[in-house]
Structure formats: C-alpha cells, structure tokens
Amino acid sequence: MFHIVLVSPEIPPNTGNVIRLSANTGCTLHLIKPLGFSLDDSHLRRAGLDYREYATLKTYESWDDFIEKEHPDPRDLYMFSSHATRSLPEVKFTAGSWLVFGRESAGLPLELQENHCLKENRIRIPMMPNNRSLNLSNSVAVAVFEA
C-alpha cells in the first residue's frame, strides 16, 4: 500500500480520521512533529484513536529525522499543495509511494517542497476555482483512493 505523511498536523479530529483511514486501507501513517496536539488527546481518541491498534503509525521529531530514518526515494515522494500545477488524476502511483500533506493552517512549506520533492511530484487535488482547499483528512482520503 502507500505511506501517508502528515507534516505538523494541528487538528486532532483530522489526524484521528487519517488514523482510521490508514487502518482500513493498510497504509502506514507517518506523523512529523511538532504536532498541534498530544496523541493522547481526547478529541483524537474520539475521532479515530480507537483504530490505532489496527494502524501502523510512526512519529518523527522533524522532517530531517523522518528522512534519516525512512530514506524515501525522491522519485516516489509526492507532496500535495493547492498551489501545485500537476493534477492528481495525471499521476501514476506505485505501491509504496509516499503521499505528503502539510498542516491545516498553512499546508507544506514551499522550502520543503522545493528542496525535497521533484517538481513533477507536486500534486494538487482538482476542485472548483477560487476555493482554498479541502479539509486535510478529506484530502488524504481522496489521494489514497485515487492512488
């Protein structure tokens, strides 16, 4: 299956929903700190932590810690951004691809995208013009099922 990477998620229910999604799809979930909550947060528990025993969940102190421990192949690392030009349906993912999403309030830092992701692997989810973005957990679900 795929690897889902959340960089500094802020809202417990979104991460809880992604934990549930991971458990039900067989994806591995990677959480990169800082997190905007504790993994013991009651909101997180209510939204999906009861699925944690069924999900493969890994945490990292920073992006550098993640890179050092996981060594993702840059050709198989996809970063999602509402500012990207390549549309999700255009991409051919392979088993083991890394799907990277940023925090709810600001997305992925541009520096992270430019320094760690091939330009053709920066992906946007198509939606109506002039709208900001989808909810984080909805974006992850759309991406996983499209992939």
Side-chain angles (χ1 to χ4, degrees):
M1 197 37 83
F2 304 106
H3 296 273
I4 300 168
V5 182
L6 301 184
V7 180
S8 302
E10 300 166 312
I11 301 174
N14 283 335
T15 300
N17 287 334
V18 177
I19 290 171
R20 183 176 288 196
L21 174 73
S22 297
N24 283 299
T25 59
C27 293
T28 299
L29 177 58
H30 305 265
L31 300 178
I32 300 177
K33 296 178 181 179
L35 307 178
F37 50 85
S38 163
L39 287 174
D40 296 326
D41 189 297
S42 63
H43 296 293
L44 181 67
R45 190 176 314 109
R46 190 173 28 234
L49 198 55
D50 56 328
Y51 277 77
R52 188 168 176 182
E53 66 186 88
Y54 304 111
T56 303
L57 175 64
K58 299 179 177 184
T59 59
Y60 308 87
E61 294 303 314
S62 65
W63 178 261
D64 290 338
D65 183 40
F66 163 72
I67 294 295
E68 181 180 315
K69 289 178 177 167
E70 297 297 336
H71 309 287
D73 183 337
R75 295 170 298 180
D76 224 13
L77 186 71
Y78 297 89
M79 293 190 175
F80 287 78
S81 170
S82 59
H83 303 291
T85 56
R86 190 161 185 213
S87 183
L88 177 60
E90 298 171 10
V91 180
K92 300 286 187 226
F93 297 93
T94 59
S97 290
W98 300 82
L99 312 177
V100 182
F101 300 84
R103 65 180 193 235
E104 292 89 342
S105 66
L108 285 169
L110 186 57
E111 178 182 326
L112 191 71
Q113 295 178 55
E114 290 175 347
N115 293 333
H116 296 278
C117 187
L118 302 172
K119 187 170 184 171
E120 63 269 19
N121 287 2
R122 294 183 216 159
I123 310 301
R124 68 174 169 76
I125 296 172
M127 56 185 204
M128 297 301 293
N130 303 317
N131 286 348
R132 292 182 314 153
S133 63
L134 294 172
N135 167 283
L136 176 63
S137 61
N138 290 339
S139 295
V140 174
V142 166
V144 166
F145 282 100
E146 179 69 22

